[in-house]
Amino acid sequence: VQLQASGGGLVQPGGSLRLSCAASEIILTFNSMGWYRQAPGEQRELVASIRSDGTTTYTPSVKGRFTISRDNAENTLYLQMNSLRPEDAAVYSCDAQGSIVKGLGYFSSLSGQGTQVTVSS
């Protein structure tokens, strides 16, 4: 089971992007899903997460600018990023913790390839 992030690209400071994370199989339930980012030379950082009850958390630097959401019907996780700053540039990836996948059972952790976000004028 793979999670594929998409939607990255080059955007000017102050611009917006919407990232998507699609699962290769249907995720029936999960404990939490999250967006991570990693810039060159930096540690991987949890940017935003959402629990199965809809509770969301954000790292302080993106609070008020980024919004995480999940469309269960589309089996897709989203990250709406507004007011982007140069320091937001990184490879963004998604993961899922404590998932039950249709027909396949329980997976403690799912992850996949990331998508590059570049913020530059």
Side-chain angles (χ1 to χ4, degrees), residues 1 24-26 28 99-107:
V1 182
S24 59
E25 305 292 334
I26 295 175
L28 297 173
S99 304
I100 295 178
V101 179
K102 184 178 182 180
L104 296 176
Y106 178 81
F107 289 80

Side-chain angles (χ1 to χ4, degrees):
V1 182
Q2 290 290 319
L3 301 181
Q4 181 63 56
S6 62
L10 172 63
V11 63
Q12 291 186 341
S16 298
L17 283 174
R18 187 194 194 201
L19 305 184
S20 300
C21 172
S24 59
E25 305 292 334
I26 295 175
I27 296 176
L28 297 173
T29 65
F30 60 93
N31 287 337
S32 66
M33 298 188 76
W35 283 98
Y36 288 79
R37 67 185 179 187
Q38 186 167 23
E42 301 289 334
Q43 287 192 333
R44 189 171 182 241
E45 174 188 29
L46 177 60
V47 176
S49 65
I50 185 168
R51 297 188 62 83
S52 57
D53 64 0
T55 303
T56 57
T57 59
Y58 299 91
T59 193
S61 65
V62 309
K63 198 171 291 186
R65 300 187 297 123
F66 290 11
T67 303
I68 187 172
S69 62
R70 158 101 174 149
D71 187 322
N72 291 328
E74 295 186 359
N75 199 38
T76 302
L77 181 73
Y78 297 100
L79 184 68
Q80 177 66 44
M81 305 188 296
N82 299 327
S83 302
L84 282 161
R85 304 167 180 169
E87 55 264 37
D88 294 319
V91 174
Y92 285 71
S93 60
C94 52
D95 84 346
Q97 301 294 319
S99 304
I100 295 178
V101 179
K102 184 178 182 180
L104 296 176
Y106 178 81
F107 289 80
S108 61
S109 181
L110 296 171
S111 61
Q113 298 291 327
T115 185
Q116 177 72 50
V117 171
T118 303
V119 185
S120 174
S121 55

